[in-house]
Amino acid sequence: MTKNSIKTILLIEDDPEDARSLNGLFNEEGKPGVKVTVVDCMSDAEKHLAEHVVDVILLDLGLPDAQGLDAVRRAHAAAPRTPVVVLTDSGDELLGEQAVQGGAEDFLIKGQIETHRLLRILHYCIERKLLEETLFLEKERAQVTLDSIGDAVICTDAAGNVSFLNAAAEKTIGWSQEAAMGRPIGEIFHIIDATTREIIPNRMELAVAQDRTVHLPVNCSLIRRDGAEISVEDSASPIHDREGQNAGAVIVFRDVSSSRALALEITHAAQHDVLTGLPNRLLLVDRIDQAIAFALRHKNKVAMLFLDLDGFKHINDSLGHATGDELLKSIAHRLLECVRRADTVSRTGGDEFVVLLSDLEQLKEVTDLATRMLVTVANPHSIDNHDLHITTSIGISVYPDDGLDAATLIKAADTAMYQAKEGGRECYRFFTPDMNVRAVERQSIEEGLRRALERREFTVHYQPKIDLQTGAIAGAEALARWTNFTRGPVSPAEFVPVAEDCGLIVPIGTWVLREACRQARTWVEAGLPMLNIAVNISALEFRNDDFLKNLFMILDETGLNPQLLELELTEGVLMKHAESAASILRALRERGVRVAIDDFGTGYSSLSYLRRFPVDELKIDQSFVRRISTHAGDAPIVTAILAMARSLKLRVVAEGVETPEEVEFLKAHQCDEAQGYYFSRPVTADEFAKLLRSGIPGRADTEHSSLVIA
Ligand code: C2E
Ligand code: MG
Ligand code: MG
C-alpha cells in the first residue's frame, strides 16, 4: 500500500472543533481522494462501519457513548480488520499506550498533529495491520497444514526445548502440545534401535550441530509416553533465523509399523516355502554361509543332508496334488522333529529337502540323524484316510571336506543323493570325490545330448529276435546308437538315464520311433520278411500327454502297418501309472500295436498286475537268462516265468542269449523267441536287411565274425 492509497477515513470525534481541525488537516493536504466521514458517537460509527469499509479509523477516547479502552474494543469489534488510531489529549499519553495494548494500532496527541506526520503514521498503521493479517493467515495455514498431514512434526527452539507439536506428533508420542511445550526435547522423544535396543542419540542436536538434515538409521523404534514401541522413520532439520543463526530444529517422523510389518512379511515370504513354512533355498544358503563362518572360527564341521523322496511323483499323480501337499507337510513336520533348534530344515524343491547341521563335533551325529530321518519318513503317514508309505534317499556332504561354500556343498550332497538312489533308494550316502567325476561326466553327457539331434548324431541299430521253433527272424528290436562328435560312441546304458533325467528322452525317443517305423516300412516295401519291429519307450515318453497322438501320427506318416509295431515298456512304467497305463494300452490294442514288458523280473516282479493290462509279450531280463548257464540248467525262476506266461497266453522272449546251453534250455522249456549275441549283435539297417534276406546262419561262431558291429 502507498500513501496515496488511503482513500477513506472514519473520524469518530464528538468535539466539533477537534473534528473540524482534523478534517482541515486532510483538506489542507488537498487530497481530493481522501474521503473523511465524521461521526460524533460510537453508535453512529458502528452503523457506518456495518455498511462501509474504511481504510483507517481515527478514534477519540472521550465519546458520549464510549470512553477509553471500551471505545477501542467497540471500534475493533465493529471493524476487526481496520486499523484503529486513537486520539488523546496531551497529558493522556498513558491512556494512549493502554489503547495500543488493547488493540489500537497507534495513538496521536491532539494539538501535536501536523499533516505530514499524520498521513505517514496512518499509512504505517494500515501497513502493519495488513502484515499482521497476512502473518496470521500464514500461521493459520501452516497450523492447519501441519495438523492435517499424516507425518508428525515437532519443533524446538534454539535451546532445544519443544516449541510446537502437530496433531500427528501428539498422537504418535502420546504427549499433548500443552504438556510438551517448553520441555527439553530429550524428555519427550525417545528413539532406540529396534534390533540392538540401544538408545539413538537425539537427531535434532546432530542436525543443528552439523547444520544439515539428518535421518534416523533404518529399523528404529520410538518409545511412546506410555512405553509402547512404534517403528518410525524420521528426519531432523535445523531452522535458522534471519541472521542465519540457530533457531531450533524441526523433526518430522512417521509411524511405519504397518509398512515395516509388511516388509517383514514380504521378506519372510521370499525366504520361506509357502506350503511347509520351511526356509527355502534362499534362506538356506544364507544359513549355510553363517554356519560356515562360525565353523571356520571354531574349527568344526558343518553337514548337509540332501533328501529326495522316492516315488513321490507317483503319489502326487495317483492321489492328487492336495494329498501330495499334505504328505510333504507331514514329512516337513517329522524332519523338524529330528533336528536341534540350531539346525535348519529347508524345502528346496518339489520333493527335495536340505537339512543343515551346524556346529558338528563328530560324523556320528550325521549318520544317526540320517538313520532317524530314513525311519521317520518311512513310517506311514495317515492322510485323508490313506496310510501313505514313502521312503527317501539321502546324500550327505560335509564342510570343509567336500566344499568350502554353500553351492559346492549343496551340489555335493545332491550328487551323493543320486548315488543313494542308484544304490537302491531308502539309504544314505556320503559324498566321495569319485562321485564328482561321475557328476561331471553326467553333465557332459547332458550337454552333448542337447546338440545330438540337430547334429544328426543318432542312428538306430537292429537286433534280430529269433523264433526258437523255426530259427527264423521273428522281428527286430530298434536300439538307439549315439556317436558324439568328441566322445565317440556312447552306450545307451550311459546316455538313456541322463536323457530321461533331463527330459531329452522325449524328442530322442520320438526320433527313434519315427526312424524305426520308416525303416521297417522300407523293408516291407522291399519285400523282405519283416514281421515285427520293437521300439523301447521310457516312462517319461509314455507319460507324455501327446504320447498316443504322436505315435499314431508317426504310424500315419510312415505308413507302417500298426500290427508290425511293438512297444517295449518296463514294469515300472505300467505300475506307477496303473490307471492311465491301462487306458493307453487299450487304445494301442485297438489300433493293433503290440506291447511287450521289457526286462521282466527286474522290477516289481508282481505277476498279478499282468492280468490287468492288455500286453502281448514278456521279455525275460538277461540276468535270469544268465542263470541258465551259470546254474547248469537249473533255473527255476525262468521256468516259472515261462509257465506263468503260457497260462496268461503271452509270448515270451529271452533277452541276452549268449550260449548254446541257454538256447537249448529255452527251447526245451518252450520259450517262444530269443534275442542275443548268440544270434547277432545289434546291427546297422543295411546289415539287418542282409540278415533278413539270408536268415541267421546256423552257428553262432561263424556268424559272429561277420556280424560284430555294435
Ligand atoms: P533293452 O531294451 O533291454 O535292450 C537290450 C540291451 O541288451 C541292448 O543294450 C542290447 O545291445 C543288449 N544285448 C542284446 N543281446 C545281448 C547279449 O547277448 N549280451 C549282452 N550282454 N547284452 C545284449 P543297449 O543297446 O546298450 O541298450 C541298453 C538299454 O538302453 C536298452 O535295454 C533300453 O532300455 C535302452 N534303450 C536303447 N535304445 C533306446 C531307445 O531308443 N529308447 C529308449 N527309451 N531306451 C533305449
Ligand atoms: Mg528293450
Ligand atoms: Mg531289455
Side-chain angles (χ1 to χ4, degrees):
M1 173 176 289
T2 64
K3 285 175 191 172
N4 294 339
S5 63
I6 301 178
K7 292 205 170 65
T8 51
I9 292 174
L10 176 64
L11 176 57
I12 315 171
E13 177 57 84
D14 61 330
D15 184 331
E17 192 50 42
D18 288 351
R20 201 176 312 112
S21 81
L22 273 166
N23 204 355
L25 285 177
F26 294 111
N27 289 340
E28 181 190 299
E29 186 63 14
K31 297 267 179 239
V34 181
K35 183 178 170 221
V36 183
T37 308
V38 184
V39 293
D40 58 4
C41 64
M42 186 50 82
S43 49
D44 281 357
E46 284 166 341
K47 268 185 224 142
H48 183 84
L49 288 171
E51 283 160 18
H52 303 89
V53 176
V54 297
D55 290 332
V56 69
I57 298 168
L58 281 176
L59 172 66
D60 175 48
L61 291 182
L63 297 171
D65 57 349
Q67 291 85 37
L69 292 182
D70 178 48
V72 176
R73 196 188 46 73
R74 282 178 65 182
H76 192 65
R81 298 209 174 152
T82 312
V84 176
V85 176
V86 300
L87 303 163
T88 60
D89 292 319
S90 89
D92 259 358
E93 284 91 344
L94 191 63
L95 185 62
E97 268 159 26
Q98 283 173 347
V100 168
Q101 272 164 21
E105 244 15 87
D106 210 340
F107 66 91
L108 295 168
I109 299 161
K110 289 181 187 170
Q112 294 182 9
I113 308 169
E114 36 104 10
T115 312
H116 188 64
R117 260 194 55 189
L118 172 67
L119 279 176
R120 212 176 63 219
I121 285 171
L122 292 185
H123 170 70
Y124 282 146
C125 285
I126 290 169
E127 227 173 36
R128 208 160 46 231
K129 185 76 183 168
L130 209 65
L131 208 63
E132 268 170 26
E133 280 295 309
T134 317
L135 271 180
F136 177 82
L137 272 182
E138 210 123 274
K139 203 173 159 212
E140 188 64 14
R141 191 160 43 227
Q143 180 75 47
V144 171
T145 309
L146 287 171
D147 279 345
S148 43
I149 58 172
D151 286 3
V153 180
I154 301 178
C155 299
T156 56
D157 58 19
N161 297 325
V162 175
S163 60
F164 174 79
L165 236 70
N166 74 346
E170 286 183 320
K171 201 168 134 223
T172 314
I173 64 170
W175 281 82
S176 71
Q177 156 133 301
E178 227 175 24
M181 221 47 168
R183 287 179 190 263
I185 179 73
E187 251 181 50
I188 65 158
F189 196 67
H190 305 279
I191 299 280
I192 60 162
D193 183 308
T195 322
T196 64
R197 321 298 298 167
E198 276 169 23
I199 293 174
I200 304 280
N202 191 340
R203 300 274 113 184
M204 285 180 148
E205 276 168 19
L206 200 66
V208 170
Q210 300 188 350
D211 196 18
R212 64 178 181 92
T213 301
V214 285
H215 295 270
L216 271 184
V218 286
N219 201 24
C220 282
S221 289
L222 176 130
I223 308 296
R224 242 169 45 173
R225 194 176 185 182
D226 61 5
E229 208 176 305
I230 300 166
S231 300
V232 290
E233 268 174 12
D234 88 351
S235 67
S237 312
I239 316 179
H240 302 109
D241 62 15
R242 275 210 246 185
E243 279 72 45
Q245 296 301 307
N246 166 32
V250 182
I251 189 160
V252 179
F253 56 102
R254 88 181 60 93
D255 181 348
V256 291
S257 308
S258 52
S259 61
R260 201 168 286 167
L262 189 70
L264 281 179
E265 220 170 87
I266 291 170
T267 316
H268 186 270
Q271 294 184 330
H272 289 81
D273 162 44
V274 187
L275 179 68
T276 58
L278 293 178
N280 62 14
R281 182 176 284 264
L282 204 72
L283 186 54
L284 171 72
V285 169
D286 199 51
R287 299 253 175 100
I288 297 176
D289 289 345
Q290 285 177 26
I292 287 177
F294 186 85
L296 194 64
R297 282 199 302 278
H298 296 84
K299 304 249 169 315
N300 53 16
K301 299 193 176 210
V302 174
M304 216 122 342
L305 288 82
F306 197 116
L307 286 84
D308 188 285
L309 303 179
D310 305 322
F312 175 73
K313 214 179 156 353
H314 170 52
I315 290 185
N316 222 16
D317 290 351
S318 51
L319 300 177
H321 287 267
T323 308
D325 284 356
E326 287 311 309
L327 179 59
L328 288 172
K329 282 200 241 174
S330 163
I331 289 166
H333 184 73
R334 290 190 190 175
L335 294 181
L336 274 177
E337 283 186 336
C338 291
V339 300
R340 304 164 301 179
R341 269 181 72 89
D343 302 326
T344 298
V345 176
S346 71
R347 179 169 172 238
T348 50
D351 59 349
E352 283 174 11
F353 296 85
V354 175
V355 179
L356 165 69
L357 281 191
S358 43
D359 195 13
L360 205 66
E361 267 152 25
Q362 40 179 329
L363 283 186
K364 189 171 176 309
E365 292 172 45
V366 189
T367 52
D368 285 352
L369 177 68
T371 312
R372 276 206 306 279
M373 287 185 160
L374 288 175
V375 173
T376 190
V377 171
N379 280 335
H381 299 257
S382 159
I383 287 158
D384 295 343
N385 303 323
H386 286 102
D387 259 354
L388 297 185
H389 294 266
I390 191 147
T391 57
T392 182
S393 304
I394 307 178
I396 304 169
S397 66
V398 176
Y399 167 91
D401 315 9
D402 305 325
L404 299 179
D405 58 76
T408 314
L409 288 164
I410 295 177
K411 194 150 178 270
D414 184 14
T415 305
M417 185 277 294
Y418 262 103
Q419 300 303 315
K421 291 253 185 216
E422 281 184 10
R425 303 172 157 200
E426 201 182 2
C427 60
Y428 63 81
R429 289 277 185 280
F430 277 91
F431 174 80
T432 55
D434 65 304
M435 289 180 183
N436 233 346
V437 174
R438 297 184 61 177
V440 168
E441 178 72 5
R442 259 184 109 86
Q443 183 67 30
S444 129
I445 290 180
E446 186 178 329
E447 273 159 28
L449 278 179
R450 293 199 182 280
R451 314 288 301 275
L453 271 178
E454 68 187 58
R455 289 181 174 168
R456 298 171 183 274
E457 292 178 343
F458 288 108
T459 48
V460 179
H461 281 194
Y462 301 87
Q463 187 177 36
K465 288 156 75 180
I466 310 301
D467 183 324
L468 284 174
Q469 301 307 313
T470 65
I473 296 178
E477 176 174 5
L479 293 158
R481 291 292 174 263
W482 177 32
T483 308
N484 178 245
F485 183 66
T486 45
R487 310 167 68 94
V490 185
S491 135
E494 264 187 274
F495 76 78
V496 169
V498 179
E500 281 172 341
D501 269 0
C502 66
L504 282 168
I505 193 67
V506 176
I508 295 172
T510 306
W511 183 85
V512 172
L513 182 65
R514 178 175 284 117
E515 177 59 19
C517 289
R518 191 196 58 74
Q519 185 58 66
R521 167 79 206 237
T522 312
W523 286 325
V524 171
E525 298 235 292
L528 294 172
M530 184 61 204
L531 299 173
N532 173 280
I533 179 89
V535 179
N536 293 286
I537 303 293
S538 73
L540 209 65
E541 295 173 74
F542 189 72
R543 279 207 310 264
N544 194 309
D545 290 341
D546 293 333
F547 172 68
L548 278 179
K549 205 178 94 195
N550 250 338
L551 173 76
F552 293 154
M553 203 176 74
I554 289 172
L555 282 171
D556 291 345
E557 206 180 283
T558 55
L560 181 73
N561 177 358
Q563 282 163 0
L564 296 190
L565 179 64
E566 180 168 85
L567 302 182
E568 294 192 7
L569 305 167
T570 58
E571 294 169 84
V573 175
L574 297 180
M575 286 298 282
K576 279 185 185 161
H577 306 278
E579 286 301 304
S580 55
S583 78
I584 295 177
L585 293 194
R586 276 194 297 275
L588 289 173
R589 176 155 288 183
E590 247 168 55
R591 190 74 194 255
V593 176
R594 294 159 57 85
V595 172
I597 307 288
D598 203 355
D599 305 340
F600 186 78
T602 57
Y604 288 72
S605 306
S606 138
L607 300 174
S608 60
Y609 77 89
L610 282 177
R611 292 177 213 279
R612 294 168 47 199
F613 297 115
V615 295
D616 306 279
E617 190 175 294
L618 286 190
K619 297 188 78 178
I620 304 176
D621 190 69
Q622 45 176 293
S623 57
F624 296 106
V625 173
R626 204 62 65 239
R627 291 184 194 203
I628 296 171
S629 31
T630 51
H631 291 73
D634 172 28
I637 296 181
V638 180
T639 332
I641 294 174
L642 284 166
M644 188 249 356
R646 251 196 315 279
S647 75
L648 290 171
K649 300 197 170 41
L650 299 174
R651 272 184 86 76
V652 183
V653 182
E655 285 189 278
V657 176
E658 291 182 351
T659 64
E661 294 82 43
E662 288 162 3
V663 177
E664 282 319 307
F665 179 94
L666 293 164
K667 269 187 182 168
H669 290 85
Q670 281 105 47
C671 178
D672 301 291
E673 291 174 24
Q675 180 187 345
Y677 295 170
Y678 177 80
F679 302 103
S680 166
R681 288 184 173 249
V683 295
T684 62
D686 286 350
E687 221 97 28
F688 188 79
K690 277 187 211 154
L691 287 180
L692 279 177
R693 277 193 200 99
S694 62
I696 301 285
R699 282 181 53 84
D701 300 13
T702 48
E703 62 26 55
H704 262 186
S705 51
S706 61
L707 286 172
V708 172
I709 309 277

